[in-house]
Amino acid sequence: MEMNRIKEALKEKGLTQVWLARELDKGFKMVNAYACNRKQPSLETLFRIAEILQVSVKDLLVDNKKEEK
């Protein structure tokens, strides 16, 4: 079950997890865990990711009401 849209947001912007890891000053494995929804970022980190990607935090969160048909 997806909890965040970090991977999708990166793809939409044409950016990589490696790039995001550098921008966040975190290891690739941690960012990959966020992107693959194995681990959820702290709120502080989520806000930082949104700032870096120039999207709203809401855009990084999955809307469970919008289920794909």
Side-chain angles (χ1 to χ4, degrees), residues 2-43:
E2 285 188 37
M3 297 298 294
N4 71 58
R5 295 186 65 256
I6 294 170
K7 185 184 273 186
E8 290 85 351
L10 284 168
K11 188 175 181 180
E12 288 164 9
K13 298 273 185 178
L15 301 169
T16 66
Q17 292 176 34
V18 172
W19 176 85
L20 182 59
R22 257 186 264 135
E23 291 294 308
L24 286 171
D25 198 27
K26 291 190 180 289
F28 169 77
K29 285 184 179 183
M30 182 62 75
V31 171
N32 181 255
Y34 297 156
C36 294
N37 283 284
R38 290 190 309 275
K39 182 172 176 60
Q40 292 306 310
S42 68
L43 277 177

